[in-house]
Amino acid sequence: MADKLSLVLKTDDICGNTCNPDGSESIFAIAHKISKTVLLGKIISSRGYGVSFIMPILEKLWGFVGRLKVISKGFNLFLFVFEKEAELNRVITHAPWFLANAHLVVKRWPPTMTWEQIDFSKSCIWVHVIGLPLPQLNKENATRIGDAFAGFLDYEISKVDVLNTSPVMKIKVEFWVDKPLLTGFNNIISEEHQPWVRFSMST
């Protein structure tokens, strides 16, 4: 019995064919259509959550009361079906999400993958970087700090004025969900001066 197989990938479908020879929609076209309105989500917790518990919370959190369909696919694993692609995009854009003190990781469903193949080992979060001097508030340093997690995604800097003695840089980072989040780092300004820069997590 074979333990490995090399299967054919229909590149014609992936390149954009939407119909079979008989005029019906191709499998890839159907999968592509589904992927625009379906997200996969996993709640990172040892406690089990059911659809009846999370649906009313997410409807209010996401603002889709009566328009969201939630399907359980296993322990703390769910499909979220939206009415419109724009609603899905809004949920992805404003991640991370938390409910009942648990982190909800949401991922797009690529048409070329099954939902079992989706990687939930990483998620994203906004981190406030507290204690950097003004000259170090820049994208290059935001990227360096973000890469100390699992990867840099985006950054923002608080408005600076004469009364703002502690301006804050906020970075969006990927992080490993099974590892403790970093709490800060020693900022090596000189051999004698290495102040502690603190991280504060936020949604």
Side-chain angles (χ1 to χ4, degrees), residues 97-190:
W97 299 101
F98 297 86
L99 66 161
N101 296 317
H103 188 92
L104 171 63
V105 183
V106 290
K107 300 284 185 177
R108 294 183 184 274
W109 187 356
T112 55
M113 299 174 69
T114 66
W115 62 264
E116 294 95 339
Q117 295 172 316
I118 303 301
D119 180 15
F120 289 99
S121 62
K122 291 191 292 186
S123 186
C124 65
I125 195 169
W126 281 99
V127 177
H128 292 273
V129 185
I130 302 170
L132 285 180
L134 280 173
Q136 291 187 332
L137 298 177
N138 53 62
K139 185 175 182 179
E140 181 179 357
N141 286 330
T143 302
R144 290 186 179 187
I145 296 168
D147 287 342
F149 289 81
F152 167 81
L153 297 174
D154 198 2
Y155 83 114
E156 297 176 1
I157 298 175
S158 62
K159 185 177 179 180
V160 178
D161 56 47
V162 293
L163 299 178
N164 191 350
T165 57
S166 299
V168 173
M169 181 163 65
K170 186 168 73 168
I171 59 175
K172 191 173 187 179
V173 301
E174 284 191 309
F175 70 96
W176 300 100
V177 299
D178 61 347
K179 296 180 180 179
L181 283 167
L182 301 175
T183 58
F185 65 96
N186 286 105
N187 186 15
I188 305 175
I189 295 174
S190 68

Side-chain angles (χ1 to χ4, degrees), residues 75-90:
F75 182 78
N76 285 349
L77 186 64
F78 304 92
L79 291 181
F80 302 116
V81 184
F82 301 86
E83 287 189 356
K84 300 176 181 178
E85 183 180 1
E87 295 175 341
L88 179 151
N89 290 336
R90 181 149 61 91

